[in-house]
Amino acid sequence: MHILIYSYNYHPEPIGIAPLMTELAEGLVKRGHEVRVITAMPNYPERRIYDEYRGKWYVTERKNGVTIQRSYVRIKSKPNVVDRLLLELSFIFTSLPQAFKGDRPDAIILTVPPLLGILPATIFSYLYNCPLILNVQDILPEAAVRVGLLKNKWTIRTLAALEKFAYRTAQKISVIADGFSENLVNKGVPVNKIVCIPNWVNINFIRPLPKHDNSWRTAHQLDGKFVVLYCGNIALTQGLETVIQAAICLRHLKDIVFAIVGESRALQRLQEYCLLNGADNVLLLPLQPREKLPDMLAASDVGLIVQKHNVISFNMPSKIPLLLASGRPIVGSVPASGTAARAIALSGGGIIVEPESPQALADAVQDLYTNPTFAAKLGHVGRQFAEANYTLEQALDRYEWLFSQIVTNQKSIQSILPKLDSNKSIVDG
C-alpha cells in the first residue's frame, strides 16, 4: 500500500511529533508498505532551519526506505501570532509542488497541528481520490486559547471554522487519548469516525537500564545522586518554575538533583530564575542527541510530567509512554481531571500531585527518595503497562487495520466513479 504522511515535523528533529512520525513511517516500510513523507526543513525546537538545510527550497531524501520530501518554511526564532500564521502558510504553499512528485497514494495521514495543513491535504485527497486520515496530536484553537497564545476573536473564530472543516473532510480521525474522543464527539463529530491510537514508544530502544555505570550520569557528575528529570518541551503549558521551586524546597537533601533538559533559549530564562532564587540543585542541559535518550532516562530516579492548572483537560504529553517504558516512576504535576492524570493513574506507574504546587511536588519526590522499594515498584508496573499498551507494533497494527478499512470503503466508492491512474503522478499526466 502507498501511504503519504503529511507532517510538518520529522527526523532529524529530536522531540515532539517528529520521532513518532519517523518511527511510524519506517515501521510501515518494514511491513512492506511504500511511504512518502511531505515535511518542512527541520527547524524544531531551535526555531531555525538546521545548517545543512539552510538556503534550500526543496530537498528530497531517502532514509530507511522512506522517501522524504522537504520544503522551505519561513520561520522566526521568537514568533508572534502573525509569524506563526506566516510559517504555516509558507509550508502550505511550498509543499504543494512536492506533493505531486510521486505516485498516487492509497491513503493520506495528516498530523495536526498545524491546523492549516488540512487545506493542502484536502486538495491532495480530492485530486488523488484517496481517503484522508487526520492524526490529531492537539486540539486547536482550544489549547492555544486556554494558555493565552490566542486572544484575537477573529483569529479564534477562523481557526474554529477551519477545525470543523477538518473534522468534516477527513474520512477518519485518529486521536491519541480518550479525552480527545470525548471533545470531538461533543463538537458533533460522529463517534464512528474516531479511532483512538495512543502515541507509542519503541520498547526495545527505551527500556529499563541500570543506574550504575551509566555514562550519562558520569558525564554530568551525577553519580551517587538521586536524579529528578524533566526532559522535553519548555513552553507556556508547563510552568517549569514550579519544578525549580520544588527543588528549592529540597535543598537540604544534598543527594537530590533536579535535571531539566530542553531547548537552549528556553533554558536561559530558567537559568535566570534559578540564580534569582538560589536553586543550586538544578542542572540545566540542552536537548540531547536521540541516541543518548535511553541512557538519560535510565540515569534518572524519577521522571516528571508538568502542566499548569489551566492546561486543557485532553492534553496528553508524549513523554508519558517514554517514561513508563524506561522503568522509572513518574510524578505528574498535572490537573487531576485531565487526560495526562488519567493515563498516569491507569498505568499504575506514577503519582499525581496538584499542579503549580511546589510543595506538593517536593513532597512526592521526597516520598520516592525515602522509599526506594515503592519507587521501584512504580517503575516496574509502569514498564509492564507500556509493554502492554504503548508499543510501536500495536500502533502499526492499528494503523494497518485503519488503512485496510478505509481503502476498502474507498474502492467501493471508486467502482462507480472515474478513476485516476494509480501508477502515475498527477504532474506526469
Side-chain angles (χ1 to χ4, degrees):
M1 193 176 293
H2 291 222
I3 309 298
L4 176 61
I5 297 178
Y6 198 99
S7 175
Y8 176 80
N9 300 106
Y10 196 77
H11 173 86
E13 295 174 338
I15 61 172
I17 190 63
L20 289 167
M21 288 299 106
T22 304
E23 289 173 347
L24 176 62
E26 294 179 357
L28 289 170
V29 166
K30 288 179 181 178
R31 292 195 174 196
H33 301 282
E34 186 171 323
V35 181
R36 183 160 58 104
V37 175
I38 297 172
T39 188
M41 297 295 180
N43 59 78
Y44 188 77
E46 292 88 352
R47 299 193 186 280
R48 65 185 297 270
I49 293 175
Y50 292 11
D51 289 343
E52 57 268 40
Y53 295 92
R54 298 192 77 183
K56 300 176 181 178
W57 278 92
Y58 295 106
V59 173
T60 298
E61 303 169 317
R62 193 164 177 85
K63 179 177 172 58
N64 294 333
V66 180
T67 299
I68 309 163
Q69 297 173 304
R70 304 185 186 276
S71 58
Y72 168 82
V73 287
R74 177 195 183 275
I75 191 159
K76 297 291 185 180
S77 59
K78 295 181 179 180
N80 55 32
V81 173
V82 173
D83 291 327
R84 291 175 189 274
L85 176 61
L86 291 175
L87 167 62
E88 294 192 26
L89 288 172
S90 68
F91 181 51
I92 288 172
F93 288 110
T94 61
S95 65
L96 281 169
Q98 291 286 65
F100 296 127
K101 294 178 181 177
D103 291 342
R104 171 193 177 275
D106 295 301
I108 299 173
I109 303 175
L110 168 69
T111 61
V112 174
L115 187 56
L116 287 178
I118 189 61
L119 300 176
T122 300
I123 294 172
F124 306 148
S125 175
Y126 174 77
L127 292 176
Y128 283 128
N129 196 19
C130 69
L132 171 62
I133 300 168
L134 203 62
N135 173 249
V136 180
Q137 295 287 327
D138 206 350
I139 295 181
L140 298 176
E142 279 178 74
V145 172
R146 181 68 68 91
V147 298
L149 280 176
L150 274 182
K151 297 178 181 178
N152 183 278
K153 292 182 179 180
W154 182 88
T155 302
I156 293 169
R157 285 196 296 269
T158 301
L159 290 176
L162 191 61
E163 180 191 12
K164 290 180 181 178
F165 172 77
Y167 299 152
R168 186 173 64 252
T169 302
Q171 277 71 33
K172 287 288 183 178
I173 303 170
S174 70
V175 297
I176 61 175
D178 289 338
F180 285 57
S181 301
E182 296 165 8
N183 182 279
L184 266 57
V185 169
N186 289 337
K187 291 176 178 175
V189 179
V191 68
N192 61 358
K193 201 173 192 177
I194 304 168
V195 178
C196 186
I197 305 179
N199 282 342
W200 54 88
V201 58
N202 186 334
I203 60 171
N204 297 316
F205 178 59
I206 304 298
R207 62 196 189 281
L209 296 171
K211 282 180 287 190
H212 62 273
D213 296 327
N214 180 288
S215 59
W216 199 86
R217 271 183 168 252
T218 301
H220 299 291
Q221 293 82 49
L222 294 172
D223 289 324
K225 299 293 186 180
F226 185 89
V227 179
V228 183
L229 176 69
Y230 176 89
C231 176
N233 194 29
I234 300 173
L236 289 175
T237 54
Q238 278 81 40
L240 289 184
E241 291 80 5
T242 298
V243 176
I244 294 171
Q245 287 293 338
I248 293 170
C249 294
L250 296 174
R251 284 181 62 197
H252 61 287
L253 297 172
K254 300 302 182 183
D255 290 342
I256 299 180
V257 174
F258 284 70
I260 299 176
V261 181
E263 194 269 317
S264 297
R265 284 193 178 91
L267 291 179
Q268 292 175 4
R269 175 177 54 80
L270 293 182
Q271 179 68 51
E272 294 172 2
Y273 191 84
C274 286
L275 292 172
L276 184 64
N277 291 277
D280 55 5
N281 57 343
V282 176
L283 177 65
L284 300 176
L285 295 169
L287 286 171
Q288 306 292 290
R290 184 160 176 79
E291 60 269 19
K292 292 185 181 293
L293 186 57
D295 280 339
M296 182 180 71
L297 293 174
S300 68
D301 293 272
V302 176
L304 297 181
I305 301 293
V306 184
Q307 295 176 333
K308 288 186 174 182
H309 71 274
N310 64 344
V311 168
I312 201 157
S313 62
F314 50 75
N315 184 280
M316 176 63 176
S318 59
K319 290 186 289 294
I320 291 177
L322 283 171
L323 293 176
L324 292 173
S326 72
R328 298 297 186 259
I330 294 174
V331 174
S333 173
V334 296
S337 61
T339 297
R342 197 182 313 172
I344 295 169
L346 184 63
S347 74
I351 300 170
I352 308 299
V353 301
E354 182 184 353
E356 297 187 74
S357 172
Q359 191 60 58
L361 179 56
D363 290 344
V365 169
Q366 187 169 352
D367 285 345
L368 295 174
Y369 170 73
T370 57
N371 194 343
T373 302
F374 177 54
K377 180 181 178 181
L378 290 177
H380 178 70
V381 171
R383 170 66 187 189
Q384 289 184 316
F385 189 85
E387 290 175 350
N389 296 276
Y390 287 136
T391 70
L392 173 60
E393 293 305 312
Q394 287 172 319
L396 291 170
D397 288 343
R398 290 163 179 158
Y399 270 108
E400 284 193 310
W401 170 84
L402 185 56
F403 295 148
S404 176
Q405 184 186 59
I406 64 172
V407 169
T408 299
N409 292 341
Q410 189 75 6
K411 285 181 179 178
S412 298
I413 296 172
Q414 288 177 347
S415 65
I416 58 173
L417 293 174
K419 299 178 182 178
L420 288 172
D421 186 339
S422 63
N423 296 316
K424 290 185 178 181
S425 164
I426 288 178
V427 294
D428 292 337

